Amino acid sequence: MKKYAIIGALVVSVLGTLFHFLGDWIPIILFPMNESIFEHMKLVLFPFLLYFFGSLPFLKANRMDVFSSFVSAILLSMGIIILSYYTYSGMLGWNVDAINIIIYYVAVLAGFILIYKKKTLFSFSNSVIFLLILFVFVVTFSYYPPNISFFKQK
């Protein structure tokens, strides 16, 4: 599981970085459609899910437990990004791209530490429900964003 987590952290980091730039060229739901904090949550959600589903044939651990850990890791990583971004940019009064990038990689690493330790916040069935709700939320608010700062381009 250690190797799985290390490879996962690298793959998700690379995919997230790639997805950030693909959004400028290919406007689909997988990629950020603007520079809002909300849209950047896709850089966590979809790369994590792609890695999980792509690695299913190679998983030796209980897939339901690993899936629950992935959903928990997605939530943790998104939380770290949101809290860190608003904390530091609120203190400085502006945001710094280099800090945003570091926050992203730290959040991905924290998520994979959770996966490596097989920690989960939800049971399997609750993880499925949470992920479905999150997916509906992302799709809906990507096309119909509320008029609040979290959804507005920075």
Side-chain angles (χ1 to χ4, degrees):
M1 196 67 177
K2 184 177 183 179
K3 191 160 122 180
Y4 178 78
I6 292 169
I7 292 169
L10 293 171
V11 168
V12 168
S13 295
V14 169
L15 282 175
T17 303
L18 180 64
F19 280 22
H20 184 273
F21 296 106
L22 286 175
D24 294 336
W25 303 317
I26 308 169
I28 61 173
I29 196 71
L30 293 177
F31 311 134
M33 297 177 168
N34 62 45
E35 289 294 320
S36 70
I37 299 304
F38 170 75
E39 287 291 325
H40 279 74
M41 294 302 98
K42 293 176 183 180
L43 301 179
V44 171
L45 178 63
F46 294 119
F48 266 88
L49 290 177
L50 284 172
Y51 181 71
F52 173 74
F53 288 114
S55 65
L56 272 177
F58 310 104
L59 270 178
K60 291 181 174 81
N62 181 327
R63 291 181 173 141
M64 292 191 309
D65 291 343
V66 175
F67 177 79
S68 296
S69 290
F70 262 84
V71 173
S72 297
I74 289 167
L75 179 64
L76 174 68
S77 297
M78 287 180 168
I80 288 170
I81 291 170
I82 293 166
L83 291 172
S84 299
Y85 173 80
Y86 281 111
T87 299
Y88 98 81
S89 65
M91 288 170 36
L92 292 178
W94 67 89
N95 75 72
V96 180
D97 287 340
I99 295 174
N100 296 339
I101 293 166
I102 291 167
I103 289 171
Y104 173 74
Y105 292 131
V106 167
V108 168
L109 183 59
F112 274 95
I113 289 171
L114 195 72
I115 292 165
Y116 170 69
K117 294 187 178 263
K118 298 177 185 169
K119 300 291 182 186
T120 184
L121 303 173
F122 312 104
S123 65
F124 175 73
S125 57
N126 287 340
S127 295
V128 171
I129 291 167
F130 175 78
L131 189 60
L132 289 173
I133 291 169
L134 183 60
F135 189 74
V136 168
F137 180 76
V138 166
V139 171
T140 302
F141 292 139
S142 288
Y143 291 108
Y144 305 103
N147 192 19
I148 57 177
S149 66
F150 183 67
F151 297 94
K152 291 181 183 174
Q153 186 164 332
K154 299 290 176 200

